[in-house]
Amino acid sequence: MDVLATAGHVDHGKSALVRALTGMEPDRWAEERRRGLTIDLGFAWTTLPSGRRLAIVDVPGHERFVGNMLAGVGPVPAALLVVAADDGWSAQTAEHVAGLDALGVRHALLAVTKADLADPAPVLADVRERLAGTSMAGIPGVAVSALTGAGMPELTTALETLLDGLPAADPTAPVRLWVDRAFTIRGAGTVVTGTLAGGSVAAGDRLLLGGREVTVRGVQSLGAPVDRATAPARVALNLRGVAALDLSRGDALLTPAAFRFTELVDVTLARDPEGRLPAEPVVHVGSATVGARSRPLGGAVVRLRLATPLPLRVGDRLLLRDPGARRVVGADVLDVDPPELRRRGAARQRAADLTTRPGAAADLARRRVVRADEFAAMGWPVPEDADRVGPWLLAAGLVDELAARVPDLVAAHRQAHPLEPGPPVDVVRRALDLPDAELLAAVVRPPLALREGRVVVAAAALPEPVQRAVDGVLARLAADPFAAPEAPDLAAAGLGPRELAAAVRSGQLLRIADGVVLAPGVEDHARARLAGIPEPFTLSQARQAWGTSRRVAVPLMEWLDTRGATVRLPDNTRRLR
């Protein structure tokens, strides 16, 4: 399916042309049909001779309804500009063209209507000349009469050519469906309609609406139920989990986690505005309309603070409208999560950075570290030279830069705390300004290591007096592996609680239980002694085999149980595993 929107001055025959093309009445309200004046968006569709399905969004042409018009054309990739042969270029023609130009619409067709009432040639020539300086310069034009049918075959052929040239939508893109209508159908519940510009949607899909999750109960497209609608398409979604009264035009249904709501954006103006940019422009995007405050940063770069957060992405085209002066200007989103500007000159520097160093790599370099899913939700692709650590992205070169700083951090901490093998991981994380300790795995390199919540030197040296005391204990245990020294003996040797803990952390001593330390390798000695006695054996038999006291034998046996070296049987005897 393809989708296009009409544009043009009131009474120039947009709705009549849609009726002639589709055989459908686009004006939905009785008042519209009574007054012959389109007030709100209308919708119709047809099948072209080639078999191509075309949906049309018919927009109001009256100046009082320009907001409705922009809501209709915002999500649509192509436009049908309608100008009457008996009236020519008019006020709303100019305003609609300015809106299309600001939105960057390049795919369009000019239809000069009411060709039965006046010679269309002068109007065709005049409108083409006026379009020369816009995004629609050079678009084809057709003279047509909805009343007599003259020119309708040529219009249909021109539409086929226009639609053939439209860029293909991405069916795998995340869904962002801007709602243009919400209503209730008896027996079905809440229904919303909109133009699906990317992705696809099917019954059973879960989408986000503001802060809540809703379920798609059913999908219709062009008045018929479908299993799945794929962009581009006009769709009607039957929703579960929300009331129609809680919805309004400008809401968006989103693929979960694929978009970021923001109220602060940096943009660049598509062209210089005629006169000063208003301090409080009205912002249009999709079918949404919100107020904003603008702050020029320098050149064409402007910061917008939106009155209502919107799900925006880098690269989105916004339309900034000055209702008082009836001026519009397009703006491209550069950043949906911009930095604060606190220092003198920060605004000017920010504008320079965005102008001279645009793109994903520069943005990642500024952020240094960001979650990959958040970066994608902003609209950025992953830079080729970015580093990945779990769910995180790090700027190019940052891992090596941080890894080079870690040894000095560890050395400084050990100098200040000689009995500690190294700083706690959170100390290092804060010093490196990292958001999560799991990132340390990428920047801690040999001879450093992560051990027991600290960054340590793999073979960390103990202070000399402590090392001498440890060496004395190890010499005693070498002669008798199960002769664990008692606390008074350790204290007399200079191994108080802090020194003993440091020796254990360094791996030179093994803490079996509180008050019981042995040498590394005691497990092998214990198994060798136990292998020499009959199985199953009792704790008393094990103690005798080890030649030690219950103070040591009880925790040692339990330690062997937990390590899986021995198996405790129901009668409290053991056997080797």
Side-chain angles (χ1 to χ4, degrees):
M1 181 197 310
D2 293 290
V3 185
L4 64 77
T6 63
H9 192 80
V10 64
D11 290 333
H12 277 206
K14 295 187 298 298
S15 297
L17 188 59
V18 172
R19 282 191 290 271
L21 271 171
T22 67
M24 298 179 66
E25 173 57 67
D27 289 336
R28 297 179 290 113
W29 297 2
E31 182 183 357
E32 292 178 308
R33 295 190 288 273
R34 179 177 57 80
R35 296 171 58 185
L37 173 68
T38 300
I39 297 172
D40 201 359
L41 302 179
F43 308 96
W45 54 87
T46 188
T47 301
L48 298 176
S50 66
R52 185 191 297 267
R53 300 279 277 167
L54 172 63
I56 301 175
V57 180
D58 189 32
V59 306
H62 196 282
E63 62 179 322
R64 287 184 297 167
F65 308 119
V66 66
N68 289 348
M69 173 267 177
L70 293 172
V73 302
V76 177
L80 177 62
L81 177 62
V82 177
V83 184
D86 63 340
D87 195 14
W89 187 274
S90 302
Q92 288 309 115
T93 310
E95 190 161 6
H96 283 203
V97 166
L100 294 173
D101 183 38
L103 290 170
V105 174
R106 295 184 295 109
H107 303 279
L109 174 64
L110 168 62
V112 176
T113 57
K114 304 187 180 182
D116 56 313
L117 301 181
D119 182 4
V123 174
L124 275 168
D126 177 60
V127 174
R128 281 173 169 161
E129 183 177 347
R130 293 175 184 270
L131 293 177
T134 73
S135 61
M136 293 172 288
I139 66 171
V142 178
V144 65
S145 169
L147 182 63
T148 67
M152 291 300 295
E154 291 79 3
L155 178 66
T156 299
T157 300
L159 284 172
E160 296 268 21
T161 302
L162 169 67
L163 301 176
D164 281 339
L166 291 179
D170 181 1
T172 65
V175 169
R176 178 174 54 177
L177 181 73
W178 295 101
V179 174
D180 50 40
R181 280 195 301 162
F183 49 92
T184 300
I185 294 180
R186 180 173 296 179
T190 301
V191 175
V192 299
T193 67
T195 299
L196 186 64
S200 66
V201 61
D205 286 354
R206 296 180 180 273
L207 300 174
L208 288 184
L209 178 67
R212 75 176 73 180
E213 187 177 82
V214 297
T215 302
V216 179
R217 296 177 62 184
V219 182
Q220 283 199 356
S221 187
L222 305 188
V226 295
D227 292 332
R228 178 174 293 277
T230 301
R234 283 292 304 174
V235 296
L237 305 183
N238 182 201
L239 301 180
R240 180 188 298 117
V242 63
L245 291 176
D246 295 332
L247 290 159
S248 60
R249 177 171 293 166
D251 288 335
L253 289 164
L254 310 169
T255 297
F259 293 88
R260 173 192 175 93
F261 275 86
T262 181
E263 60 182 14
L264 195 67
V265 290
D266 286 347
V267 303
T268 182
L269 303 181
R271 62 177 59 185
D272 291 334
E274 298 176 3
R276 186 180 180 86
L277 186 70
E280 296 187 1
V282 176
V283 175
H284 298 265
V285 58
S287 63
T289 303
V290 301
R293 295 186 63 85
S294 67
R295 176 185 177 182
L297 301 185
V301 180
V302 175
R303 176 160 292 186
L304 297 174
R305 186 173 293 277
L306 306 176
T308 303
L310 291 175
L312 299 180
R313 283 185 141 197
V314 171
D316 282 343
R317 171 61 67 93
L318 310 182
L319 188 150
L320 313 183
R321 183 165 63 96
D322 183 351
R326 295 174 67 175
R327 293 184 296 123
V328 294
V329 61
D332 294 317
V333 175
L334 300 177
D335 195 343
V336 297
D337 182 29
E340 294 184 12
L341 304 175
R342 294 176 175 173
R343 301 188 311 274
R344 180 183 297 273
R348 186 168 55 253
Q349 183 59 51
R350 174 66 174 157
D353 290 343
L354 289 172
T355 303
T356 59
R357 299 179 60 234
D363 190 79
L364 181 56
R366 177 180 68 81
R367 300 179 192 280
R368 299 176 71 249
V369 185
V370 65
R371 293 186 69 91
D373 55 353
E374 292 179 2
F375 200 62
M378 295 176 196
W380 290 118
V382 176
E384 292 183 0
D385 55 359
D387 289 312
R388 280 186 178 268
V389 179
W392 300 93
L393 290 179
L394 290 85
L398 181 61
V399 171
D400 290 340
E401 174 191 327
L402 296 178
R405 292 176 53 193
V406 175
D408 288 343
L409 293 173
V410 174
H413 187 88
R414 293 201 67 224
Q415 185 173 5
H417 308 277
L419 290 178
E420 295 183 12
V425 293
D426 206 48
V427 170
V428 179
R429 179 192 66 78
R430 290 196 300 268
L432 298 179
D433 194 24
L434 291 173
D436 197 291
E438 68 178 320
L439 291 162
L440 292 181
V443 300
V444 173
R445 298 172 177 175
L448 302 179
L450 291 168
R451 182 183 299 156
E452 297 180 354
R454 292 178 180 269
V455 181
V456 303
V457 179
L462 296 172
E464 186 177 348
V466 177
Q467 187 63 58
R468 284 201 304 269
V470 170
D471 290 343
V473 171
L474 290 174
R476 174 178 172 178
L477 292 172
D480 186 348
F482 309 103
E486 298 194 19
D489 297 331
L490 292 170
L495 293 178
R498 293 181 63 225
E499 292 80 7
L500 194 60
V504 169
R505 285 194 298 267
S506 72
Q508 297 190 62
L509 292 177
L510 186 65
R511 191 191 303 273
I512 299 299
D514 286 343
V516 179
V517 292
L518 298 171
V522 70
E523 179 179 345
D524 293 336
H525 292 298
R527 288 177 62 91
R529 297 277 184 94
L530 294 175
I533 61 178
E535 291 186 323
F537 48 82
T538 64
L539 174 62
S540 177
Q541 290 172 321
R543 180 182 65 78
Q544 293 174 14
W546 293 331
T548 189
S549 65
R550 285 185 58 84
R551 179 183 73 88
V552 175
V554 170
L556 177 57
M557 182 60 76
E558 292 176 349
W559 182 77
L560 291 172
D561 289 343
T562 60
R563 293 180 62 83
T566 54
V567 177
R568 186 170 183 171
L569 302 176
D571 61 355
N572 286 332
T573 61
R574 266 101 168 169
R575 62 176 176 80
L576 289 172
R577 186 181 295 275

